[in-house]
mmCIF file of all heavy atoms in Angstrom:
data_model
loop_
_atom_site.group_PDB
_atom_site.id
_atom_site.type_symbol
_atom_site.label_atom_id
_atom_site.label_comp_id
_atom_site.label_asym_id
_atom_site.label_seq_id
_atom_site.Cartn_x
_atom_site.Cartn_y
_atom_site.Cartn_z
ATOM 1 N N THR A 1 -11.772 5.144 -11.981
ATOM 2 C CA THR A 1 -10.368 5.168 -12.029
ATOM 3 C C THR A 1 -9.944 5.101 -10.527
ATOM 4 O O THR A 1 -10.624 5.848 -9.692
ATOM 5 C CB THR A 1 -9.902 6.519 -12.597
ATOM 6 O OG1 THR A 1 -10.276 6.473 -14.005
ATOM 7 C CG2 THR A 1 -8.330 6.668 -12.494
ATOM 8 N N CYS A 2 -9.063 4.198 -10.200
ATOM 9 C CA CYS A 2 -8.602 4.008 -8.719
ATOM 10 C C CYS A 2 -7.225 4.492 -8.627
ATOM 11 O O CYS A 2 -6.400 4.056 -9.448
ATOM 12 C CB CYS A 2 -8.905 2.685 -8.301
ATOM 13 S SG CYS A 2 -10.694 2.218 -8.404
ATOM 14 N N TYR A 3 -6.860 5.025 -7.568
ATOM 15 C CA TYR A 3 -5.455 5.332 -7.155
ATOM 16 C C TYR A 3 -5.286 4.951 -5.768
ATOM 17 O O TYR A 3 -5.977 5.525 -4.845
ATOM 18 C CB TYR A 3 -5.155 6.853 -7.369
ATOM 19 C CG TYR A 3 -3.747 7.223 -7.093
ATOM 20 C CD1 TYR A 3 -2.720 6.781 -7.795
ATOM 21 C CD2 TYR A 3 -3.495 8.132 -5.998
ATOM 22 C CE1 TYR A 3 -1.378 7.194 -7.494
ATOM 23 C CE2 TYR A 3 -2.351 8.514 -5.732
ATOM 24 C CZ TYR A 3 -1.249 8.028 -6.508
ATOM 25 O OH TYR A 3 -0.040 8.446 -6.059
ATOM 26 N N VAL A 4 -4.378 4.116 -5.409
ATOM 27 C CA VAL A 4 -4.150 3.586 -4.107
ATOM 28 C C VAL A 4 -2.742 3.955 -3.586
ATOM 29 O O VAL A 4 -1.805 3.274 -3.892
ATOM 30 C CB VAL A 4 -4.459 2.054 -4.032
ATOM 31 C CG1 VAL A 4 -4.247 1.525 -2.656
ATOM 32 C CG2 VAL A 4 -5.663 1.640 -4.677
ATOM 33 N N PRO A 5 -2.681 5.038 -2.908
ATOM 34 C CA PRO A 5 -1.241 5.345 -2.469
ATOM 35 C C PRO A 5 -0.790 4.541 -1.309
ATOM 36 O O PRO A 5 -1.578 4.021 -0.647
ATOM 37 C CB PRO A 5 -1.367 6.800 -2.082
ATOM 38 C CG PRO A 5 -2.807 6.981 -1.532
ATOM 39 C CD PRO A 5 -3.514 6.037 -2.606
ATOM 40 N N LEU A 6 0.483 4.313 -1.206
ATOM 41 C CA LEU A 6 1.131 3.580 -0.146
ATOM 42 C C LEU A 6 1.758 4.492 0.779
ATOM 43 O O LEU A 6 2.753 5.300 0.380
ATOM 44 C CB LEU A 6 2.077 2.611 -0.673
ATOM 45 C CG LEU A 6 2.652 1.455 0.216
ATOM 46 C CD1 LEU A 6 1.729 0.638 0.860
ATOM 47 C CD2 LEU A 6 3.785 0.711 -0.502
ATOM 48 N N TYR A 7 1.410 4.569 1.974
ATOM 49 C CA TYR A 7 2.049 5.502 3.045
ATOM 50 C C TYR A 7 3.514 5.062 3.116
ATOM 51 O O TYR A 7 3.825 3.845 3.128
ATOM 52 C CB TYR A 7 1.381 5.407 4.377
ATOM 53 C CG TYR A 7 -0.066 5.852 4.367
ATOM 54 C CD1 TYR A 7 -0.979 5.126 5.238
ATOM 55 C CD2 TYR A 7 -0.663 6.872 3.580
ATOM 56 C CE1 TYR A 7 -2.333 5.460 5.242
ATOM 57 C CE2 TYR A 7 -1.887 7.204 3.638
ATOM 58 C CZ TYR A 7 -2.803 6.539 4.520
ATOM 59 O OH TYR A 7 -4.060 6.884 4.475
ATOM 60 N N ARG A 8 4.374 6.130 3.427
ATOM 61 C CA ARG A 8 5.814 5.646 3.685
ATOM 62 C C ARG A 8 5.940 4.731 4.851
ATOM 63 O O ARG A 8 5.230 4.785 5.848
ATOM 64 C CB ARG A 8 6.503 7.025 3.950
ATOM 65 C CG ARG A 8 6.692 7.964 2.799
ATOM 66 C CD ARG A 8 7.377 9.190 3.238
ATOM 67 N NE ARG A 8 6.377 10.175 3.314
ATOM 68 C CZ ARG A 8 6.602 11.377 3.550
ATOM 69 N NH1 ARG A 8 7.879 11.814 3.824
ATOM 70 N NH2 ARG A 8 5.593 12.306 3.587
ATOM 71 N N GLY A 9 6.807 3.739 4.573
ATOM 72 C CA GLY A 9 7.057 2.674 5.582
ATOM 73 C C GLY A 9 6.106 1.526 5.582
ATOM 74 O O GLY A 9 6.396 0.412 6.086
ATOM 75 N N HIS A 10 5.006 1.633 4.780
ATOM 76 C CA HIS A 10 3.988 0.497 4.725
ATOM 77 C C HIS A 10 4.369 -0.304 3.541
ATOM 78 O O HIS A 10 5.025 0.126 2.523
ATOM 79 C CB HIS A 10 2.573 1.095 4.434
ATOM 80 C CG HIS A 10 2.022 1.694 5.624
ATOM 81 N ND1 HIS A 10 2.401 2.905 6.258
ATOM 82 C CD2 HIS A 10 0.933 1.271 6.452
ATOM 83 C CE1 HIS A 10 1.653 3.210 7.311
ATOM 84 N NE2 HIS A 10 0.759 2.128 7.516
ATOM 85 N N GLY A 11 4.163 -1.595 3.662
ATOM 86 C CA GLY A 11 4.527 -2.545 2.504
ATOM 87 C C GLY A 11 5.914 -2.930 2.552
ATOM 88 O O GLY A 11 6.365 -3.623 1.596
ATOM 89 N N HIS A 12 6.648 -2.765 3.685
ATOM 90 C CA HIS A 12 8.090 -3.003 3.731
ATOM 91 C C HIS A 12 8.206 -3.912 5.017
ATOM 92 O O HIS A 12 7.236 -4.225 5.705
ATOM 93 C CB HIS A 12 8.962 -1.935 3.783
ATOM 94 C CG HIS A 12 8.749 -1.019 2.553
ATOM 95 N ND1 HIS A 12 9.229 -1.338 1.352
ATOM 96 C CD2 HIS A 12 8.063 0.145 2.362
ATOM 97 C CE1 HIS A 12 8.939 -0.454 0.406
ATOM 98 N NE2 HIS A 12 8.308 0.567 1.069
ATOM 99 N N VAL A 13 9.458 -4.200 5.371
ATOM 100 C CA VAL A 13 9.635 -4.789 6.734
ATOM 101 C C VAL A 13 9.055 -3.968 7.811
ATOM 102 O O VAL A 13 9.115 -2.726 7.741
ATOM 103 C CB VAL A 13 11.203 -5.101 6.908
ATOM 104 C CG1 VAL A 13 11.747 -6.092 5.893
ATOM 105 C CG2 VAL A 13 12.020 -3.776 6.853
ATOM 106 N N PRO A 14 8.601 -4.540 8.955
ATOM 107 C CA PRO A 14 8.005 -3.678 9.936
ATOM 108 C C PRO A 14 8.863 -2.685 10.597
ATOM 109 O O PRO A 14 8.351 -1.651 10.926
ATOM 110 C CB PRO A 14 7.715 -4.854 10.992
ATOM 111 C CG PRO A 14 7.536 -6.013 10.198
ATOM 112 C CD PRO A 14 8.565 -5.979 9.168
ATOM 113 N N GLU A 15 10.168 -2.942 10.673
ATOM 114 C CA GLU A 15 11.003 -1.940 11.244
ATOM 115 C C GLU A 15 11.096 -0.553 10.525
ATOM 116 O O GLU A 15 11.163 0.477 11.182
ATOM 117 C CB GLU A 15 12.418 -2.427 11.425
ATOM 118 C CG GLU A 15 12.589 -3.641 12.387
ATOM 119 C CD GLU A 15 12.107 -4.947 11.844
ATOM 120 O OE1 GLU A 15 12.016 -5.092 10.604
ATOM 121 O OE2 GLU A 15 11.863 -5.903 12.571
ATOM 122 N N GLN A 16 10.878 -0.693 9.247
ATOM 123 C CA GLN A 16 10.802 0.559 8.391
ATOM 124 C C GLN A 16 9.548 1.488 8.781
ATOM 125 O O GLN A 16 9.716 2.573 8.634
ATOM 126 C CB GLN A 16 10.786 0.171 6.890
ATOM 127 C CG GLN A 16 11.095 1.379 6.086
ATOM 128 C CD GLN A 16 11.318 0.959 4.521
ATOM 129 O OE1 GLN A 16 11.436 -0.239 4.254
ATOM 130 N NE2 GLN A 16 11.627 1.939 3.760
ATOM 131 N N LEU A 17 8.519 0.806 9.160
ATOM 132 C CA LEU A 17 7.306 1.540 9.525
ATOM 133 C C LEU A 17 7.574 2.549 10.710
ATOM 134 O O LEU A 17 7.110 3.708 10.676
ATOM 135 C CB LEU A 17 6.097 0.654 9.971
ATOM 136 C CG LEU A 17 4.880 1.212 10.279
ATOM 137 C CD1 LEU A 17 4.231 1.798 8.940
ATOM 138 C CD2 LEU A 17 3.836 0.125 10.819
ATOM 139 N N LEU A 18 8.489 2.179 11.549
ATOM 140 C CA LEU A 18 8.709 3.058 12.719
ATOM 141 C C LEU A 18 9.579 4.265 12.416
ATOM 142 O O LEU A 18 9.733 5.248 13.167
ATOM 143 C CB LEU A 18 9.482 2.235 13.872
ATOM 144 C CG LEU A 18 8.631 1.224 14.552
ATOM 145 C CD1 LEU A 18 9.424 0.462 15.567
ATOM 146 C CD2 LEU A 18 7.393 1.870 15.254
ATOM 147 N N GLN A 19 10.157 4.254 11.127
ATOM 148 C CA GLN A 19 10.897 5.414 10.737
ATOM 149 C C GLN A 19 10.059 6.677 10.369
ATOM 150 O O GLN A 19 10.444 7.823 10.149
ATOM 151 C CB GLN A 19 11.828 5.175 9.454
ATOM 152 C CG GLN A 19 12.874 4.053 9.875
ATOM 153 C CD GLN A 19 13.642 3.617 8.603
ATOM 154 O OE1 GLN A 19 13.708 4.349 7.612
ATOM 155 N NE2 GLN A 19 14.304 2.505 8.681
ATOM 156 N N TYR A 20 8.714 6.370 10.248
ATOM 157 C CA TYR A 20 7.769 7.466 9.817
ATOM 158 C C TYR A 20 6.818 7.647 10.874
ATOM 159 O O TYR A 20 6.573 6.827 11.779
ATOM 160 C CB TYR A 20 7.154 7.045 8.492
ATOM 161 C CG TYR A 20 8.254 6.828 7.400
ATOM 162 C CD1 TYR A 20 8.665 5.653 7.137
ATOM 163 C CD2 TYR A 20 8.788 7.951 6.760
ATOM 164 C CE1 TYR A 20 9.550 5.406 6.158
ATOM 165 C CE2 TYR A 20 9.820 7.796 5.784
ATOM 166 C CZ TYR A 20 10.172 6.444 5.503
ATOM 167 O OH TYR A 20 11.143 6.284 4.539
ATOM 168 N N ASN A 21 6.030 8.728 10.720
ATOM 169 C CA ASN A 21 4.966 9.071 11.713
ATOM 170 C C ASN A 21 3.681 9.524 11.042
ATOM 171 O O ASN A 21 3.765 9.706 9.830
ATOM 172 C CB ASN A 21 5.498 9.976 12.777
ATOM 173 C CG ASN A 21 5.908 11.418 12.251
ATOM 174 O OD1 ASN A 21 5.097 11.838 11.342
ATOM 175 N ND2 ASN A 21 6.881 11.876 12.625
ATOM 176 N N VAL A 22 2.685 9.908 11.774
ATOM 177 C CA VAL A 22 1.399 10.434 11.230
ATOM 178 C C VAL A 22 1.596 11.538 10.332
ATOM 179 O O VAL A 22 0.884 11.722 9.284
ATOM 180 C CB VAL A 22 0.492 10.731 12.405
ATOM 181 C CG1 VAL A 22 -0.853 11.288 11.975
ATOM 182 C CG2 VAL A 22 0.228 9.454 13.154
ATOM 183 N N ASP A 23 2.502 12.413 10.681
ATOM 184 C CA ASP A 23 2.696 13.646 9.862
ATOM 185 C C ASP A 23 3.222 13.306 8.438
ATOM 186 O O ASP A 23 2.767 13.904 7.532
ATOM 187 C CB ASP A 23 3.663 14.616 10.493
ATOM 188 C CG ASP A 23 3.034 15.285 11.778
ATOM 189 O OD1 ASP A 23 1.770 15.482 11.871
ATOM 190 O OD2 ASP A 23 3.874 15.490 12.746
ATOM 191 N N ASP A 24 4.043 12.275 8.450
ATOM 192 C CA ASP A 24 4.576 11.833 7.146
ATOM 193 C C ASP A 24 3.389 11.292 6.340
ATOM 194 O O ASP A 24 3.291 11.421 5.088
ATOM 195 C CB ASP A 24 5.623 10.758 7.294
ATOM 196 C CG ASP A 24 6.875 11.273 7.950
ATOM 197 O OD1 ASP A 24 7.389 12.372 7.680
ATOM 198 O OD2 ASP A 24 7.425 10.646 8.877
ATOM 199 N N TRP A 25 2.553 10.460 6.870
ATOM 200 C CA TRP A 25 1.524 9.849 6.200
ATOM 201 C C TRP A 25 0.510 10.778 5.713
ATOM 202 O O TRP A 25 -0.088 10.654 4.739
ATOM 203 C CB TRP A 25 0.867 8.789 7.006
ATOM 204 C CG TRP A 25 1.932 7.727 7.389
ATOM 205 C CD1 TRP A 25 3.048 7.138 6.744
ATOM 206 C CD2 TRP A 25 1.939 6.991 8.640
ATOM 207 N NE1 TRP A 25 3.616 6.284 7.500
ATOM 208 C CE2 TRP A 25 3.069 6.050 8.624
ATOM 209 C CE3 TRP A 25 1.161 6.885 9.766
ATOM 210 C CZ2 TRP A 25 3.397 5.115 9.675
ATOM 211 C CZ3 TRP A 25 1.437 5.988 10.853
ATOM 212 C CH2 TRP A 25 2.610 5.217 10.712
ATOM 213 N N TRP A 26 0.186 11.918 6.590
ATOM 214 C CA TRP A 26 -0.625 12.878 6.197
ATOM 215 C C TRP A 26 -0.102 13.607 4.933
ATOM 216 O O TRP A 26 -0.896 13.965 3.953
ATOM 217 C CB TRP A 26 -0.964 13.994 7.262
ATOM 218 C CG TRP A 26 -1.690 15.141 6.916
ATOM 219 C CD1 TRP A 26 -1.365 16.336 6.858
ATOM 220 C CD2 TRP A 26 -3.110 15.094 6.468
ATOM 221 N NE1 TRP A 26 -2.328 17.266 6.404
ATOM 222 C CE2 TRP A 26 -3.383 16.427 6.111
ATOM 223 C CE3 TRP A 26 -4.025 14.036 6.245
ATOM 224 C CZ2 TRP A 26 -4.675 16.774 5.525
ATOM 225 C CZ3 TRP A 26 -5.199 14.440 5.744
ATOM 226 C CH2 TRP A 26 -5.634 15.631 5.474
ATOM 227 N N GLN A 27 1.126 13.840 4.846
ATOM 228 C CA GLN A 27 1.811 14.355 3.595
ATOM 229 C C GLN A 27 1.540 13.535 2.442
ATOM 230 O O GLN A 27 1.252 13.948 1.296
ATOM 231 C CB GLN A 27 3.308 14.732 3.872
ATOM 232 C CG GLN A 27 3.612 15.717 4.792
ATOM 233 C CD GLN A 27 5.107 15.920 5.044
ATOM 234 O OE1 GLN A 27 5.766 15.349 4.387
ATOM 235 N NE2 GLN A 27 5.487 16.714 5.998
ATOM 236 N N ASP A 28 1.530 12.206 2.605
ATOM 237 C CA ASP A 28 1.364 11.261 1.550
ATOM 238 C C ASP A 28 -0.162 11.352 0.946
ATOM 239 O O ASP A 28 -0.333 11.247 -0.198
ATOM 240 C CB ASP A 28 1.702 9.919 2.036
ATOM 241 C CG ASP A 28 3.073 9.543 2.280
ATOM 242 O OD1 ASP A 28 3.929 10.285 1.829
ATOM 243 O OD2 ASP A 28 3.374 8.598 3.118
ATOM 244 N N VAL A 29 -1.091 11.623 1.991
ATOM 245 C CA VAL A 29 -2.440 11.714 1.568
ATOM 246 C C VAL A 29 -2.621 13.085 0.784
ATOM 247 O O VAL A 29 -3.368 12.968 -0.171
ATOM 248 C CB VAL A 29 -3.362 11.819 2.993
ATOM 249 C CG1 VAL A 29 -4.722 12.264 2.550
ATOM 250 C CG2 VAL A 29 -3.358 10.498 3.676
ATOM 251 N N MET A 30 -2.020 14.084 1.306
ATOM 252 C CA MET A 30 -2.170 15.390 0.583
ATOM 253 C C MET A 30 -1.480 15.271 -0.884
ATOM 254 O O MET A 30 -2.089 15.811 -1.759
ATOM 255 C CB MET A 30 -1.459 16.482 1.363
ATOM 256 C CG MET A 30 -2.119 16.761 2.647
ATOM 257 S SD MET A 30 -3.867 17.322 2.472
ATOM 258 C CE MET A 30 -3.625 19.019 1.750
ATOM 259 N N LYS A 31 -0.345 14.670 -0.997
ATOM 260 C CA LYS A 31 0.265 14.489 -2.304
ATOM 261 C C LYS A 31 -0.591 13.541 -3.155
ATOM 262 O O LYS A 31 -0.709 13.839 -4.401
ATOM 263 C CB LYS A 31 1.615 13.786 -2.186
ATOM 264 C CG LYS A 31 2.733 14.628 -1.486
ATOM 265 C CD LYS A 31 3.976 13.947 -1.458
ATOM 266 C CE LYS A 31 5.102 14.892 -0.777
ATOM 267 N NZ LYS A 31 6.374 14.096 -0.502
ATOM 268 N N ALA A 32 -1.235 12.600 -2.583
ATOM 269 C CA ALA A 32 -2.108 11.711 -3.473
ATOM 270 C C ALA A 32 -3.306 12.522 -3.969
ATOM 271 O O ALA A 32 -3.739 12.389 -5.203
ATOM 272 C CB ALA A 32 -2.630 10.518 -2.706
ATOM 273 N N HIS A 33 -3.843 13.304 -3.068
ATOM 274 C CA HIS A 33 -5.036 14.108 -3.539
ATOM 275 C C HIS A 33 -4.631 15.096 -4.556
ATOM 276 O O HIS A 33 -5.312 15.207 -5.582
ATOM 277 C CB HIS A 33 -5.640 14.910 -2.343
ATOM 278 C CG HIS A 33 -6.836 15.632 -2.723
ATOM 279 N ND1 HIS A 33 -6.779 16.969 -2.866
ATOM 280 C CD2 HIS A 33 -8.144 15.369 -2.887
ATOM 281 C CE1 HIS A 33 -7.962 17.482 -3.239
ATOM 282 N NE2 HIS A 33 -8.836 16.503 -3.215
ATOM 283 N N GLN A 34 -3.446 15.778 -4.461
ATOM 284 C CA GLN A 34 -3.001 16.778 -5.342
ATOM 285 C C GLN A 34 -2.663 16.109 -6.701
ATOM 286 O O GLN A 34 -2.928 16.590 -7.742
ATOM 287 C CB GLN A 34 -1.900 17.623 -4.863
ATOM 288 C CG GLN A 34 -1.347 18.655 -5.688
ATOM 289 C CD GLN A 34 -2.507 19.726 -5.819
ATOM 290 O OE1 GLN A 34 -3.164 20.184 -4.979
ATOM 291 N NE2 GLN A 34 -2.857 20.118 -7.092
ATOM 292 N N PHE A 35 -2.090 14.910 -6.623
ATOM 293 C CA PHE A 35 -1.869 14.131 -7.807
ATOM 294 C C PHE A 35 -3.123 13.927 -8.718
ATOM 295 O O PHE A 35 -3.083 14.227 -9.974
ATOM 296 C CB PHE A 35 -1.202 12.785 -7.466
ATOM 297 C CG PHE A 35 -1.051 11.835 -8.664
ATOM 298 C CD1 PHE A 35 -0.088 12.025 -9.649
ATOM 299 C CD2 PHE A 35 -2.039 10.829 -8.897
ATOM 300 C CE1 PHE A 35 0.011 11.219 -10.798
ATOM 301 C CE2 PHE A 35 -1.923 10.020 -9.959
ATOM 302 C CZ PHE A 35 -0.881 10.117 -10.922
ATOM 303 N N LEU A 36 -4.162 13.497 -8.053
ATOM 304 C CA LEU A 36 -5.441 13.384 -8.761
ATOM 305 C C LEU A 36 -6.001 14.615 -9.293
ATOM 306 O O LEU A 36 -6.440 14.644 -10.478
ATOM 307 C CB LEU A 36 -6.450 12.783 -7.772
ATOM 308 C CG LEU A 36 -6.141 11.211 -7.395
ATOM 309 C CD1 LEU A 36 -7.175 10.767 -6.273
ATOM 310 C CD2 LEU A 36 -6.147 10.295 -8.529
ATOM 311 N N ARG A 37 -5.841 15.752 -8.554
ATOM 312 C CA ARG A 37 -6.370 17.053 -9.062
ATOM 313 C C ARG A 37 -5.415 17.335 -10.278
ATOM 314 O O ARG A 37 -5.958 17.929 -11.322
ATOM 315 C CB ARG A 37 -6.158 18.111 -7.924
ATOM 316 C CG ARG A 37 -7.171 17.930 -6.884
ATOM 317 C CD ARG A 37 -8.508 18.366 -7.416
ATOM 318 N NE ARG A 37 -9.488 18.403 -6.254
ATOM 319 C CZ ARG A 37 -10.786 18.085 -6.444
ATOM 320 N NH1 ARG A 37 -11.301 17.815 -7.628
ATOM 321 N NH2 ARG A 37 -11.586 18.038 -5.340
ATOM 322 N N ASN A 38 -4.183 17.094 -10.162
ATOM 323 C CA ASN A 38 -3.301 17.641 -11.408
ATOM 324 C C ASN A 38 -3.452 16.638 -12.582
ATOM 325 O O ASN A 38 -3.339 17.122 -13.698
ATOM 326 C CB ASN A 38 -1.857 17.368 -10.887
ATOM 327 C CG ASN A 38 -1.382 18.354 -9.968
ATOM 328 O OD1 ASN A 38 -1.996 19.382 -9.712
ATOM 329 N ND2 ASN A 38 -0.166 18.122 -9.240
ATOM 330 N N GLU A 39 -4.055 15.500 -12.301
ATOM 331 C CA GLU A 39 -4.389 14.651 -13.394
ATOM 332 C C GLU A 39 -5.741 14.990 -14.057
ATOM 333 O O GLU A 39 -6.179 14.455 -15.069
ATOM 334 C CB GLU A 39 -4.385 13.151 -13.148
ATOM 335 C CG GLU A 39 -3.086 12.577 -12.728
ATOM 336 C CD GLU A 39 -2.213 12.403 -13.980
ATOM 337 O OE1 GLU A 39 -2.662 11.916 -15.007
ATOM 338 O OE2 GLU A 39 -1.081 12.905 -13.846
ATOM 339 N N GLY A 40 -6.433 15.928 -13.513
ATOM 340 C CA GLY A 40 -7.670 16.477 -14.104
ATOM 341 C C GLY A 40 -8.912 15.955 -13.458
ATOM 342 O O GLY A 40 -9.941 16.327 -13.850
ATOM 343 N N TYR A 41 -8.823 15.143 -12.429
ATOM 344 C CA TYR A 41 -9.999 14.572 -11.788
ATOM 345 C C TYR A 41 -10.609 15.657 -10.946
ATOM 346 O O TYR A 41 -10.082 16.238 -10.029
ATOM 347 C CB TYR A 41 -9.647 13.305 -10.876
ATOM 348 C CG TYR A 41 -9.167 12.261 -11.933
ATOM 349 C CD1 TYR A 41 -7.837 11.960 -11.922
ATOM 350 C CD2 TYR A 41 -10.097 11.392 -12.507
ATOM 351 C CE1 TYR A 41 -7.332 10.901 -12.823
ATOM 352 C CE2 TYR A 41 -9.603 10.438 -13.402
ATOM 353 C CZ TYR A 41 -8.218 10.109 -13.468
ATOM 354 O OH TYR A 41 -7.881 9.206 -14.389
ATOM 355 N N GLN A 42 -11.987 15.862 -11.098
ATOM 356 C CA GLN A 42 -12.814 16.824 -10.383
ATOM 357 C C GLN A 42 -13.612 16.153 -9.273
ATOM 358 O O GLN A 42 -13.877 16.728 -8.199
ATOM 359 C CB GLN A 42 -13.663 17.662 -11.328
ATOM 360 C CG GLN A 42 -12.867 18.381 -12.345
ATOM 361 C CD GLN A 42 -11.844 19.279 -11.662
ATOM 362 O OE1 GLN A 42 -12.175 20.088 -10.739
ATOM 363 N NE2 GLN A 42 -10.626 19.337 -12.143
ATOM 364 N N LYS A 43 -14.101 14.924 -9.557
ATOM 365 C CA LYS A 43 -14.988 14.203 -8.660
ATOM 366 C C LYS A 43 -14.153 13.136 -8.039
ATOM 367 O O LYS A 43 -13.908 12.018 -8.664
ATOM 368 C CB LYS A 43 -16.123 13.588 -9.381
ATOM 369 C CG LYS A 43 -17.193 14.570 -9.903
ATOM 370 C CD LYS A 43 -18.375 13.873 -10.544
ATOM 371 C CE LYS A 43 -19.375 14.892 -10.999
ATOM 372 N NZ LYS A 43 -20.535 14.344 -11.565
ATOM 373 N N ILE A 44 -13.736 13.406 -6.818
ATOM 374 C CA ILE A 44 -12.856 12.435 -6.067
ATOM 375 C C ILE A 44 -13.615 11.857 -4.860
ATOM 376 O O ILE A 44 -14.053 12.685 -4.080
ATOM 377 C CB ILE A 44 -11.586 13.134 -5.596
ATOM 378 C CG1 ILE A 44 -10.839 13.537 -6.933
ATOM 379 C CG2 ILE A 44 -10.652 12.135 -4.800
ATOM 380 C CD1 ILE A 44 -9.519 14.404 -6.710
ATOM 381 N N SER A 45 -13.665 10.499 -4.797
ATOM 382 C CA SER A 45 -14.236 9.920 -3.603
ATOM 383 C C SER A 45 -13.119 9.076 -3.024
ATOM 384 O O SER A 45 -12.111 8.625 -3.658
ATOM 385 C CB SER A 45 -15.336 8.884 -4.096
ATOM 386 O OG SER A 45 -16.329 9.482 -4.663
ATOM 387 N N ILE A 46 -13.141 8.977 -1.647
ATOM 388 C CA ILE A 46 -11.953 8.342 -0.912
ATOM 389 C C ILE A 46 -12.620 7.177 0.087
ATOM 390 O O ILE A 46 -13.618 7.558 0.693
ATOM 391 C CB ILE A 46 -11.235 9.384 -0.115
ATOM 392 C CG1 ILE A 46 -10.730 10.370 -0.958
ATOM 393 C CG2 ILE A 46 -10.176 8.712 0.800
ATOM 394 C CD1 ILE A 46 -9.838 11.518 -0.243
#
């Protein structure tokens, strides 16, 4: 099972990327990990 989160500002026009920073993207990582845990996945590889 694969889950590919998109960091805020990525996948859009380049100027939108500058509206976010590393802290925002780290929050996206944490949310993605928590999403998988909430879905019941115990063995998670990244």
Side-chain angles (χ1 to χ4, degrees):
T1 299
C2 298
Y3 180 65
V4 183
L6 187 63
Y7 300 145
R8 284 177 262 183
H10 286 70
H12 302 285
V13 295
E15 294 78 17
Q16 193 168 359
L17 186 63
L18 291 176
Q19 295 176 21
Y20 302 99
N21 62 41
V22 174
D23 294 326
D24 296 316
W25 302 328
W26 174 244
Q27 288 175 10
D28 295 338
V29 170
M30 295 298 290
K31 285 179 186 176
H33 181 261
Q34 189 58 52
F35 170 78
L36 292 171
R37 289 285 184 212
N38 291 346
E39 290 292 308
Y41 295 101
Q42 299 301 311
K43 294 182 177 182
I44 298 174
S45 298
I46 300 177

